[in-house]
Amino acid sequence: MAKKAPKLDELGPWRRTHYSISILPETDGKEVTIFGLAASIRRQGGIIFIILQDKEGIVQITLHKDKVSSELWEKCEVLKEQSFIGVRGIVRKIEKAPRGAEILPLEMKVLAHPLRQPPFQMLKRKEPSLEKRLDIRAVDLRRPKVQAIFRIRHTVLQAFRELLLERGYMEVDTPKIIASATEGGAALFPLLYYDKEAFLVQSPQLYKEQLASAFEKVFEIAPAFRAERFRTTRHLSEFLSFDVEEAFVSYEDIMRLLEDLTTYAIGKVKERCGKELEVLKAKLPPLDRPFERITYDGALKLLRDDGIEIPWGEDFSTEALKALGNRYQGFYFITDWPTVTKAFYIKPKNEDPKISESFDFMGGPMEVASGGSRISDRRLLTKRLREKGLNPRSFEYHLKVFDYGMPPHAGFGMGFDRFIMFLTGQENIREVVLYPRDQVRLMP
Ligand code: AMO
């Protein structure tokens, strides 16, 4: 006969005294209270081993039938994996346990027990399909590998902020409901805004430029939305855009800033995420400073050597990006793009306006960020809008700011999710986003 699930307990006055990682040989003999998930339960005759997982790691809880109360033993006999529990017990130094110590419980509270088990093995190395995991993402997020990815993501986000704040950049937040496109009309999400049509923002581009004229050094980390037509492993409909804009600098300075940010963030990941890198078996990308810089024309030549012909003025195909990724395994820049390939706000070179002061920041075969020096002259900006087939009247709210004077400025926009994807060696952008959005996925 199937055993009945244990009765649920109330949290009551119990509060955590320790996290799993502070259960150490040095805590031997101490009474502790911990909370977490019963990640695995192993029953061996008169002994039950529970691996409790909390936000910091795991700890072993060992029950000997002849040493615990019959009430506690019976509770653990019917305890299911993936139950949330609280344990009050005594730490015991023991070599065989993780970190050399375990907990001998005196009392346990079962705070939640699962009505069903996840549709995949939580601790097995073999991966269930991504789709299956995303369907019940909150449970998938309990898996050690997924936890490792998001801890690294959190660390990088924090590191980017740390360095920029230390260097005097101001964090800003700009509107996400807007009146006109910035990155080409095709990929906009329209919405009904009262009785008018409006759009979800594709990039904070125009606002960050305006803000650079007021605050000089700004950054924003916020979602951007693009109605991408193709379903790929590196495009989402909603992604985290990490944007910087700065007055009185050029694209050269911005490339150096990107180098500094990347180096600093990877340093912090090495310092703070050793355990996570081990779980992921991830090898961080090589960091040789200065990062390699090749011009667009130089890249065309390299590709020709690989038998790939790209007509001048066209963007790189997936095949071309793969070929470049074979040559450059780490981070590098492709600079000086033809003006025709770039957005209207990117500055053409004074000495050769067919070429622009622009760059793509690459991680192997993938574009991770792009940026450049900006046009700060209203007349030239209007001309470029027209050349791009856009109506300057739709941009009047932006153009008129230039009448009041706009300092020279430059910046970049990074696909933050792509950066994390490259860093953690993931093949699909959906692995590094908590709740990814694409053409077919709007839930959870
Ligand atoms: P761009 O259009 O190149 O430039 O976008 C900047 C970076 O955003 C990422 N990205 C995406 N990531 C996931 N899913 C998508 N659908 C997606 N689309 C773009 C890429 C890309 O490099 N305003 C300029 C930036 C600037 O000049 O400051 C811009 O938006 O990693």
Side-chain angles (χ1 to χ4, degrees):
M1 204 175 73
K3 286 182 181 159
K4 259 186 31 201
K7 205 169 109 303
L8 289 187
D9 298 300
E10 287 292 325
L11 178 63
W14 278 37
R15 290 298 176 268
R16 166 184 276 143
T17 61
H18 289 70
Y19 285 106
S20 56
I21 48 159
S22 38
I23 307 301
L24 298 165
E26 300 85 85
T27 4
D28 187 54
K30 205 173 163 75
E31 185 180 315
V32 297
T33 301
I34 58 166
F35 290 102
L37 190 69
S40 93
I41 303 172
R42 208 152 41 89
R43 299 183 170 89
Q44 283 181 355
I47 304 184
I48 300 176
F49 296 101
I50 301 171
I51 296 293
L52 180 141
Q53 175 187 330
D54 64 15
K55 83 184 209 31
E56 303 295 335
I58 56 167
V59 60
Q60 176 169 296
I61 294 157
T62 308
L63 286 93
H64 299 267
K65 190 173 182 179
D66 52 355
K67 290 194 188 133
V68 296
S69 69
S70 57
E71 188 200 350
L72 177 55
W73 182 259
E74 278 159 26
K75 228 175 188 175
C76 289
E77 268 197 309
V78 293
L79 185 71
K80 287 185 183 161
E81 285 183 356
Q82 298 296 311
S83 298
F84 284 102
I85 58 174
V87 174
R88 189 172 68 78
I90 307 290
V91 178
R92 185 171 77 136
K93 191 163 126 181
I94 176 167
E95 238 170 57
K96 272 185 257 161
R99 271 188 322 280
E102 63 179 6
I103 298 174
L104 301 175
L106 298 165
E107 217 182 325
M108 181 173 79
K109 289 196 183 218
V110 180
L111 301 165
H113 57 73
L115 295 180
R116 49 175 149 158
Q117 287 294 315
F120 40 82
Q121 291 281 329
M122 299 296 281
L123 301 175
K124 286 263 160 68
R125 272 252 143 230
K126 193 172 166 308
E127 285 271 275
S129 81
L130 177 62
E131 290 306 315
K132 207 176 202 178
R133 290 191 285 117
L134 289 178
D135 282 342
I136 183 77
R137 185 58 152 170
V139 176
D140 180 45
L141 293 173
R142 297 176 185 174
R143 297 171 56 245
K145 183 184 153 187
V146 190
Q147 292 244 326
I149 291 174
F150 287 97
R151 278 175 213 285
I152 291 174
R153 188 180 158 111
H154 161 78
T155 302
V156 173
L157 200 55
Q158 198 180 355
F160 282 162
R161 278 207 170 90
E162 261 168 33
L163 189 70
L164 289 176
L165 294 175
E166 193 186 295
R167 294 194 180 178
Y169 290 78
M170 181 195 267
E171 185 161 7
V172 297
D173 36 89
T174 62
K176 302 301 153 212
I177 302 176
I178 50 147
S180 54
T182 57
E183 312 298 328
L188 275 172
F189 278 114
L191 62 96
L192 186 64
Y193 190 66
Y194 304 101
D195 56 349
K196 282 202 274 301
E197 185 178 45
F199 305 96
L200 290 178
V201 81
Q202 296 168 304
S203 141
Q205 184 63 36
L206 306 186
Y207 292 109
K208 67 174 176 169
E209 288 191 50
Q210 296 188 11
L211 294 173
S213 76
F215 300 111
E216 295 189 7
K217 296 164 82 167
V218 297
F219 75 98
E220 176 165 16
I221 302 172
F225 306 88
R226 296 190 189 185
E228 301 288 356
R229 265 168 302 176
F230 303 106
R231 195 150 189 259
T232 78
T233 51
R234 54 182 203 284
H235 288 89
L236 291 175
S237 322
E238 176 175 346
F239 67 96
L240 194 64
S241 185
F242 167 36
D243 283 85
V244 167
E245 201 66 27
E246 182 167 351
F248 313 114
V249 297
S250 78
Y251 75 135
E252 299 281 357
D253 305 282
I254 294 297
M255 283 191 272
R256 275 192 292 275
L257 175 63
L258 258 169
E259 271 179 357
D260 289 350
L261 283 162
T262 302
T263 312
Y264 184 80
I266 290 185
K268 291 296 161 192
V269 169
K270 280 189 185 148
E271 194 182 303
R272 299 173 189 166
C273 301
K275 206 173 65 187
E276 285 75 11
L277 291 170
E278 215 172 280
V279 170
L280 286 175
K281 296 197 165 49
K283 238 179 73 203
L284 290 168
L287 273 184
D288 298 318
R289 291 194 69 171
F291 296 165
E292 196 91 41
R293 285 158 170 71
I294 41 166
T295 61
Y296 173 86
D297 285 1
L300 287 197
K301 274 203 203 99
L302 290 180
L303 290 170
R304 211 167 294 136
D305 293 345
D306 290 341
I308 301 169
E309 200 62 50
I310 303 277
W312 195 89
E314 275 188 22
D315 216 335
F316 297 143
S317 59
T318 310
E319 186 200 11
L321 291 173
K322 257 196 206 139
L324 288 174
N326 288 336
R327 286 175 181 269
Y328 301 100
Q329 261 107 55
F331 292 102
Y332 60 102
F333 293 98
I334 304 176
T335 69
D336 300 8
W337 287 71
T339 304
V340 286
T341 61
K342 286 289 168 188
F344 67 88
Y345 46 78
I346 293 283
K347 187 176 180 221
K349 290 199 164 193
N350 288 336
E351 65 281 11
D352 182 4
K354 285 200 305 302
I355 297 179
S356 62
E357 293 193 13
S358 59
F359 64 82
D360 278 6
F361 178 52
M362 308 291 295
M366 182 167 59
E367 179 194 325
V368 173
S370 75
S373 309
R374 320 300 190 181
I375 295 174
S376 41
D377 172 67
R378 173 175 177 147
R379 268 177 321 179
L380 181 56
L381 196 56
T382 311
K383 178 168 163 260
R384 287 289 298 136
L385 276 167
R386 285 210 186 89
E387 283 170 6
K388 282 269 161 193
L390 296 164
N391 183 354
R393 248 191 255 142
S394 314
F395 292 85
E396 188 50 36
Y397 74 98
H398 182 58
L399 292 171
K400 73 178 177 204
V401 177
F402 287 63
D403 291 341
Y404 297 91
M406 184 60 93
H409 58 291
F412 73 79
M414 174 193 285
F416 182 75
D417 315 300
R418 288 193 185 180
F419 187 84
I420 299 301
M421 193 181 154
F422 188 61
L423 218 66
T424 56
Q426 298 303 302
E427 300 277 313
N428 194 321
I429 194 167
R430 292 161 185 79
E431 296 281 3
V432 306
V433 173
L434 287 172
Y435 296 99
R437 290 286 178 265
D438 58 33
Q439 289 109 321
V440 295
R441 188 172 286 281
L442 195 52
M443 272 195 288

